[in-house]
Amino acid sequence: MEEMRRIAHETVLRACGFASLAIFCVMIGLSFLPRAAFQAGGFLSMTMALVLAFKAREARTKDHRRTEMWLYLPKQSRPPPAHAQKTISTVMRETYLLFACWTAIISIVMWTIALAFSLIEL
């Protein structure tokens, strides 16, 4: 079970890393306007959190054999076919929701920094 959690974290972390890189590039592009950069970062981070929440909901019904985690899981570590769907979907759902919470917190921080910049401009 721990190996499945580790692999789930790795796959979701990699996807979030690529999305974060894209968000960072947008924010760097707007770096001449710090308030707009953090507003864009907050909006895009919240969008990423919503996508992760949607993926968590979708994980309950997605075929476990079509997940990236299943491909990376060694054959000897795979759960028996009778329990595989429930086990994989539960692990993926928990992982998606964990990353969605972290991303939402990051979004709130970015919105707070954008608010601070707008108060400084007054």
Side-chain angles (χ1 to χ4, degrees), residues 86-99:
K86 182 166 177 52
T87 306
I88 300 275
S89 64
T90 301
V91 169
M92 290 306 294
R93 184 174 184 274
E94 290 173 358
T95 305
Y96 282 131
L97 288 176
L98 177 67
F99 278 84

Side-chain angles (χ1 to χ4, degrees), residues 4-107:
M4 290 192 325
R5 286 187 199 284
R6 182 186 58 78
I7 292 172
H9 275 78
E10 287 175 3
T11 58
V12 176
L13 183 64
R14 181 176 50 244
C16 288
F18 284 123
S20 297
L21 178 63
I23 292 168
F24 178 73
C25 288
V26 168
M27 290 179 69
I28 290 296
L30 292 170
S31 63
F32 58 92
L33 295 170
R35 181 177 55 99
F38 281 102
Q39 282 178 333
F43 175 76
L44 293 172
S45 295
M46 188 55 67
T47 303
M48 185 167 78
L50 291 173
V51 168
L52 287 167
F54 174 75
K55 295 287 282 180
R57 181 184 166 120
E58 180 187 54
R60 291 184 288 180
T61 57
K62 186 171 185 177
D63 183 12
H64 68 280
R65 293 167 296 185
R66 300 195 65 181
T67 62
E68 188 177 4
M69 186 182 98
W70 183 258
L71 297 174
Y72 285 120
L73 200 59
K75 291 188 192 264
Q76 67 272 15
S77 298
R78 292 180 178 172
H83 303 289
Q85 178 65 40
K86 182 166 177 52
T87 306
I88 300 275
S89 64
T90 301
V91 169
M92 290 306 294
R93 184 174 184 274
E94 290 173 358
T95 305
Y96 282 131
L97 288 176
L98 177 67
F99 278 84
C101 287
W102 289 349
T103 305
I105 291 169
I106 291 169
S107 177

